[in-house]
Amino acid sequence: MSVLRALFAVPVYVVRYVRRLVYRASTKAIGPGTRIGKGVVLYGGKGTHNARIVIGAKCNIYDYCRLVVDDAGPQSGITIGNNVAINFNGYIEGSGGVEIGDDTIIGPNVVVLSSSHVIDKPDRLIRESGKVYARTVVGKNVWIGANVSIVAGV
């Protein structure tokens, strides 16, 4: 049996288990019973403030979601409560800090941001103007429908 054929013979639950182990090593906090879909990116950033992604128990992070934290300061990080579902292609940026409460459902293609570009000087290029950071909090038992964008500080 070729190596490729052997890889295709591996049951899906084994692949999911290995994926969870890899993500747990990179984030250091994924609760029991949490399912991580294929193509999900968990990027915890590198820097002096130890920016982290913390995911509670019994969560579902569906395929192709992106949870990204640039280590901008001690406020940086993403904390997701228990029993949270983040549907396909969700994007959560936690440089300013994002907190999502228990039992929250997030629809497909939702964007949650905790930073923005400074736009107060029209004569300056946006890429050179810097960023502002603001904590974004989504409460408990919240439903966010498809294609919603939540900006920093909400």
Side-chain angles (χ1 to χ4, degrees), residues 15-152:
V15 172
R16 287 182 180 158
Y17 179 76
V18 170
R19 188 180 301 138
R20 259 187 95 227
L21 290 177
V22 169
Y23 287 143
R24 182 174 286 172
S26 66
T27 63
K28 299 183 179 74
I30 295 179
T34 290
R35 288 188 253 164
I36 307 287
K38 70 179 180 177
V40 171
V41 173
L42 302 177
Y43 177 75
K46 295 178 181 165
T48 59
H49 298 100
N50 196 20
R52 291 177 27 129
I53 299 171
V54 177
I55 302 172
K58 298 181 181 177
C59 293
N60 285 307
I61 312 297
Y62 289 91
D63 298 349
Y64 305 109
C65 288
R66 305 278 188 268
L67 282 67
V68 178
V69 178
D70 289 329
D71 192 359
Q75 77 282 359
S76 298
I78 298 171
T79 302
I80 298 172
N82 298 319
N83 302 308
V84 172
I86 302 174
N87 215 315
F88 299 96
N89 203 38
Y91 180 80
I92 300 174
E93 180 276 318
S95 299
V98 170
E99 181 180 335
I100 299 173
D102 296 341
D103 303 303
T104 292
I105 300 170
I106 298 176
N109 303 309
V110 168
V111 175
V112 179
L113 302 173
S114 63
S115 68
S116 182
H117 293 277
V118 176
I119 56 171
D120 60 353
K121 296 180 181 174
D123 58 331
R124 180 181 252 177
L125 295 173
I126 294 291
R127 70 172 177 252
E128 295 174 354
S129 63
K131 293 182 107 178
V132 292
Y133 302 96
R135 186 161 190 78
T136 302
V137 178
V138 176
K140 295 180 180 181
N141 195 30
V142 172
W143 171 42
I144 302 170
N147 301 310
V148 170
S149 294
I150 300 174
V151 296

